[in-house]
Amino acid sequence: MCGIVGHIGSNNSVEKVLEGLKRLEYRGYDSAGVCFKDQSGELSLYKKTGKLVNLTNLLKNIDYGSSSSSVGHTRWATHGAVNDINSHPHLYKNLAIVHNGIIENADELKKDLVAKGFKFKSETDTEVFLGLLSFELEQEKDLLKATSSAFKKIKGSSAFVIQSKDSDGIITVKNGAPLVCGVNEILGEAMVSSDPYALMGFVEKIFFPDDDVICFLKKGEINFYDLDGTPSNRYLAKDLETNFEATTKGQFEHYMLKEIYEQPALIRNLVDNYFKDIDLNLEKPKRLHIVGCGTAFYAGMVVGQIWEKRLKIPVSMELASEFRYKDPLLLPGDLAIFISQSGETADTLAAQKLCKDRGIKTFSIVNVEGSSLFRAVDQNFLIHAGQEIGVASTKAFTQQVLTGRIICEAFADNKDFSSLKQKFSLLSHRIDELLNKAELFKDIASKIYNFGGFFFTGRGIYYPVALEGALKLKEIAYVHAEGYAAGELKHGPIALIDERMVNIAIVGPELFEKTLSNIQEVKARKGVIIGIGPEVSELRNICDLFIPLTFEGLEELSPLYVNVANQLLSYHIAKHKGTDIDRPRNLAKSVTVE
Ligand code: F6R
């Protein structure tokens, strides 16, 4: 979480950093700040609680146009309250820093620094690094060496950008947190950021440094050093498209809605991207572990059911935060799939490292090319979802499941993808039809948004989308919602059912009768039933409100179709609630802390 940006080069440095922060705001929006070198070479600091717009308002009457070096930050608070003082950048004497991550031994280091006379202004762990750095600089008299010495003393995952009044460059270093640098040799500029998206259109070449590589950015060049000060080649270099158009909402009120509506086209693109020869560098596994967090984990649950049925191998679906600490049983011939939109989720990365260290082959289903996960695994399968800006994940879920479905077919050694291709086309067509029924979702949302709580229920292949539906609703509408296996309600949660409780009951053709009985049980206790299922009278008649779907031909892909209905419902409920749909409170898109 937190977005960091740094720039050195032409005079409009602050503008570029602000544009970078705008593109990174999905990473956190508790506060934002910028520090730049002014005309007299002094560091000028501006920071403000709340979204980036508060900072840009603060800067309205400030003359920053001539600055050619600046660092900026958008915060997702970890250490210390959300306020101006805890906002980044942090400034001490001639040094300014921005930080993404957590310093795990901050308390211990802080005691030492206080004893040495360092006066802390904020409650952040970041200031601990600033204190260390300033003491090291007093001794070393060299910013590179001081950065290295200070960085070696901290534990945890962090990325820093450091600006010094006395240096003609900016320095950046990271361990376990995302960071990418870029250069534009023609314009004589260099930039750094938490995500390549913030650099697009500004630089032509990007570099993903490995952990513990110090990058020294100057006008039009970057030099890399290992922590012992020797030049380093531990980075991945890539060219970047320079003619970039920032993603906009277009005709849509929110990015989330736009991303929901992009799904049919993305499914069609996936067909073009994958239904050729799929190169598998990996053997068919004896057992499979599928690992992810949140929405990516639920996508993994859908994928896992498909793989187990199709390949007849045992599949375990694992939450990365649990898997990494449970000392999992990993055997020769096992394969582990890591699913992630960002490719930067700390728990997912740690789980992948654990498998790699134990000699297990790993592959990713990931959206961000060049991300930490992308660079760590044996083979990557990109989901081709494009930039997902809405903090609540929508289109990535669909693409993750479909990519998993395709790879499964390749492992089954089926070279004829024609019937799967047809199923994908049918899915995109059905989702298109559903998206044309916006009025139905608006109407239902207007009738239920004020109820006391929501249970999403489903069985079998629909259980994971019941979980995902509840997650989406609570994230963006701030209402209490739970996802449950429909057959489990009677084992406890049914105690909560009364006339204030809504049951969003997902009923597919699989286990139709059984799911219907579960609905009857809720109905008998006065629960409000919103049915999502096939247009049949037994179902429609017991539902208070109904969303008819056509399942024929979709089979194992039908959970994705249902999920779009859930997405639309959550979106319209959130609209009634008046929440900040694209940037819900307390959340950040890329969870780079444990
Ligand atoms: C929910 C959501 C999160 C993410 C989770 C994993 O809408 O977006 O639950 O799915 O934080 O993130 P990635 O996929 O980037 O690893």
Side-chain angles (χ1 to χ4, degrees):
M1 351 269 245
C2 298
I4 56 181
V5 191
H7 170 272
I8 182 146
S10 60
N11 280 352
N12 45 5
S13 184
V14 175
E15 260 167 48
K16 292 189 175 170
V17 163
L18 290 176
E19 173 58 28
L21 291 180
K22 193 167 138 203
R23 296 188 207 164
L24 291 186
E25 217 184 357
Y26 72 85
R27 299 183 65 86
Y29 28 83
D30 288 334
S31 62
V34 67
C35 182
F36 59 89
K37 256 189 210 178
D38 62 22
Q39 266 170 328
S40 57
E42 296 296 324
L43 296 179
S44 285
L45 175 68
Y46 296 89
K47 46 192 192 174
K48 198 76 202 144
T49 306
K51 297 196 171 121
L52 184 62
V53 62
N54 296 354
L55 175 67
T56 49
N57 286 339
L58 181 71
L59 288 169
K60 264 190 184 139
N61 299 320
I62 307 296
D63 177 17
Y64 53 71
S66 58
S67 174
S68 60
S69 159
S70 51
V71 296
H73 189 270
T74 178
R75 181 172 188 235
W76 188 84
T78 57
H79 285 58
V82 174
N83 59 35
D84 290 353
I85 292 174
N86 289 334
S87 306
H88 301 216
H90 292 279
L91 183 65
Y92 181 68
K93 292 186 179 166
N94 293 345
L95 291 172
I97 62 169
V98 289
H99 172 214
N100 168 29
I102 289 183
I103 301 175
E104 285 171 4
N105 54 341
D107 288 347
E108 191 187 316
L109 293 168
K110 197 168 182 173
K111 278 185 207 142
D112 270 8
L113 288 166
V114 170
K116 283 184 185 162
F118 185 80
K119 298 259 181 304
F120 280 88
K121 290 184 212 147
S122 76
E123 304 157 280
T124 64
D125 52 345
T126 306
E127 233 190 329
V128 168
F129 186 72
L130 187 58
L132 285 175
L133 188 62
S134 65
F135 279 113
E136 294 296 341
L137 195 57
E138 268 170 28
Q139 285 174 6
E140 302 274 11
K141 311 282 181 225
D142 175 278
L143 190 56
L144 264 179
K145 284 188 186 157
T147 302
S148 170
S149 308
F151 196 65
K152 282 183 196 161
K153 291 194 168 125
I154 60 166
K155 293 186 184 149
S157 299
S158 283
F160 296 96
V161 184
I162 302 158
Q163 185 184 34
S164 163
K165 186 186 155 201
D166 308 318
S167 170
D168 59 349
I170 52 176
I171 283 185
T172 185
V173 62
K174 67 114 184 176
N175 188 331
L179 193 83
V180 56
C181 307
V183 278
N184 189 324
E185 283 167 4
I186 302 161
L187 295 180
E189 296 183 69
M191 279 185 89
V192 52
S193 140
S194 310
D195 181 335
Y197 181 58
L199 305 187
M200 285 180 177
F202 296 131
V203 297
E204 64 220 353
K205 201 163 207 171
I206 53 172
F207 305 88
F208 295 95
D210 283 355
D211 284 344
D212 300 331
V213 171
I214 299 181
C215 319
F216 193 13
L217 283 72
K218 290 188 180 172
K219 296 185 175 183
E221 73 175 90
I222 304 177
N223 294 303
F224 301 89
Y225 302 92
D226 283 321
L227 291 185
D228 63 4
T230 55
S232 177
N233 56 8
R234 293 191 302 117
Y235 55 81
L236 173 82
K238 268 187 74 194
D239 290 335
L240 201 65
E241 201 50 63
T242 40
N243 50 2
F244 165 76
E245 259 185 59
T247 312
T248 62
K249 285 185 273 200
Q251 74 206 59
F252 295 94
E253 195 178 340
H254 294 99
Y255 281 108
M256 181 181 174
L257 192 62
K258 176 176 178 246
E259 288 159 6
I260 292 172
Y261 275 77
E262 280 172 17
Q263 291 174 105
L266 288 171
I267 297 171
R268 290 190 275 270
N269 284 347
L270 204 60
V271 173
D272 295 340
N273 272 304
Y274 274 116
F275 286 111
K276 302 169 206 138
D277 271 351
I278 299 176
D279 266 344
L280 281 180
N281 299 337
L282 303 161
E283 306 258 293
K284 182 179 164 190
K286 291 196 180 122
R287 303 187 322 155
L288 186 70
H289 307 275
I290 303 183
V291 188
C293 300
T295 292
F297 170 70
Y298 297 142
M301 286 178 75
V302 182
V303 172
Q305 294 199 28
I306 295 173
W307 278 59
E308 198 160 80
K309 274 197 191 119
R310 179 79 178 98
L311 299 180
K312 307 272 182 278
I313 53 169
V315 178
S316 64
M317 280 82 94
E318 308 276 0
L319 285 165
S321 55
E322 292 295 315
F323 182 77
R324 61 182 290 194
Y325 290 116
K326 78 171 198 184
D327 189 15
L329 179 66
L330 298 170
L331 300 172
D334 283 7
L335 177 68
I337 310 182
F338 295 86
I339 305 186
S340 176
Q341 189 284 127
S342 62
E344 299 295 351
T345 303
D347 285 318
T348 308
L349 292 175
Q352 188 278 335
K353 184 171 181 312
L354 178 132
C355 290
K356 193 172 178 176
D357 291 348
R358 305 255 299 260
I360 298 299
K361 292 279 181 206
T362 60
F363 78 80
S364 81
I365 294 182
V366 68
N367 196 28
V368 181
E369 195 176 355
S371 59
S372 303
L373 183 64
F374 182 92
R375 283 175 287 136
V377 293
D378 295 296
Q379 187 164 10
N380 284 291
F381 294 95
L382 289 170
I383 65 169
H384 301 287
Q387 190 76 23
E388 195 181 56
I389 292 182
V391 163
S393 192
T394 51
K395 58 180 180 171
F397 176 89
T398 303
Q399 300 296 97
Q400 285 161 348
V401 171
L402 291 176
T403 306
R405 175 68 193 93
I406 297 167
I407 308 161
C408 172
E409 213 50 28
F411 273 108
D413 220 10
N414 181 8
K415 301 266 182 267
D416 178 11
F417 287 106
S418 50
S419 74
L420 198 55
K421 226 169 152 175
Q422 264 174 14
K423 230 187 254 182
F424 274 52
S425 307
L426 189 62
L427 176 68
S428 64
H429 172 69
R430 293 272 163 79
I431 294 177
D432 261 333
E433 285 177 346
L434 199 58
L435 295 174
N436 285 330
K437 291 187 183 162
E439 292 310 316
L440 172 66
F441 292 94
K442 283 184 196 165
D443 177 56
I444 295 180
S446 72
K447 291 177 175 141
I448 62 172
Y449 74 94
N450 252 342
F451 274 79
F454 299 80
F455 269 102
F456 286 72
T457 55
R459 298 184 78 127
I461 57 173
Y462 306 106
Y463 171 45
V465 286
L467 295 169
E468 168 60 9
L471 174 64
K472 215 82 315 166
L473 183 60
K474 67 187 130 197
E475 266 183 300
I476 62 166
Y478 315 154
V479 295
H480 185 235
E482 290 192 54
Y484 249 88
E488 270 292 301
L489 273 194
K490 57 185 168 298
H491 296 290
I494 203 159
L496 293 173
I497 303 293
D498 62 16
E499 65 285 351
R500 298 278 308 137
M501 189 64 77
V502 176
N503 177 202
I504 300 180
I506 303 164
V507 195
E510 269 194 24
L511 298 169
F512 180 83
E513 301 296 338
K514 306 270 175 216
T515 318
L516 217 54
S517 323
N518 300 137
I519 298 178
Q520 299 282 14
E521 291 154 11
V522 176
K523 182 93 184 156
R525 284 149 186 96
K526 300 200 176 77
V528 178
I529 312 287
I530 315 300
I532 303 183
E535 177 63 88
V536 287
S537 54
E538 306 106 279
L539 178 59
R540 187 181 265 272
N541 293 344
I542 55 165
C543 294
D544 295 285
L545 297 162
F546 187 57
I547 301 166
L549 298 183
T550 313
F551 287 80
E552 281 76 32
L554 292 177
E555 296 160 352
E556 79 282 11
L557 303 188
S558 60
L560 296 174
Y561 176 43
V562 169
N563 194 51
V564 175
N566 284 345
Q567 290 170 350
L568 288 170
L569 204 53
S570 296
Y571 174 82
H572 288 293
I573 292 175
K575 267 205 74 181
H576 278 285
K577 290 280 184 185
T579 58
D580 189 345
I581 293 181
D582 280 335
R583 289 173 298 184
R585 70 182 179 203
N586 304 338
L587 300 183
K589 189 146 188 74
S590 180
V591 185
T592 51
V593 295
E594 269 200 71

